[in-house]
Amino acid sequence: VIQSTDKNFMVPVGGAILATVSGQDDILAKVAALYPGRASNGPCMDLFITLLSMGEQGYQQILKEREELFPRLFEAVAKVAAKHGERMLHTPNNKISMAMSLATIMGSNKAAASQLGGMLFARSCSGTRVVTC
């Protein structure tokens, strides 16, 4: 599992956490072997400082709030999707992300979908992805 620290731990962009199931350390070693190792220590320090400042209770409270607010956000985005002839994708095992179809908006024009992704990025929309299949 790869976790982006900016989305999961509210720190500046640039860090990630790689976790594996106990006993599968060979996966970590393979990923580490692919990485040149010139990264800054900044993301680690950002995460460390953020977690220290929040404390365990503060972090647990944020997780609780996110869990409570997710259905409300999902419902609001689903209304926007329906208004434009799109639908939300059903992903019951993913409790943090949501996905919306773009079939009606983009049709079969993959270039338009990529352009939408670029527009979102240019407007500093954090965490969005446009995936063409």
Side-chain angles (χ1 to χ4, degrees), residues 32-124:
L34 295 172
Y35 187 71
R38 295 187 206 129
S40 165
N41 189 39
C44 292
M45 289 301 294
D46 289 336
L47 179 59
F48 181 66
I49 292 166
T50 300
L51 291 176
L52 277 179
S53 68
M54 279 195 260
E56 183 178 356
Q57 287 181 334
Y59 182 65
Q60 293 296 330
Q61 179 61 33
I62 288 170
L63 291 179
K64 182 180 176 217
E65 289 172 10
R66 181 174 67 189
E67 189 175 324
E68 290 170 356
L69 291 171
F70 185 85
R72 191 168 147 195
L73 177 61
F74 190 93
E75 185 179 317
V77 175
K79 285 180 183 177
V80 171
K83 178 181 174 183
H84 295 282
E86 300 296 344
R87 65 183 179 86
M88 298 300 290
L89 304 184
H90 181 66
T91 56
N93 295 326
N94 187 336
K95 305 293 185 199
I96 192 170
S97 301
M98 57 185 75
M100 179 176 80
S101 67
L102 296 174
T104 303
I105 296 170
M106 297 296 149
S108 61
N109 187 348
K110 289 185 180 183
S114 294
Q115 182 181 12
L116 175 62
M119 291 167 61
L120 291 168
F121 177 79
R123 288 162 178 81
S124 300

Side-chain angles (χ1 to χ4, degrees), residues 15-30:
I17 295 174
L18 175 62
T20 63
V21 176
S22 180
Q24 294 187 353
D25 295 338
D26 59 319
I27 295 171
L28 291 174
K30 288 177 183 176

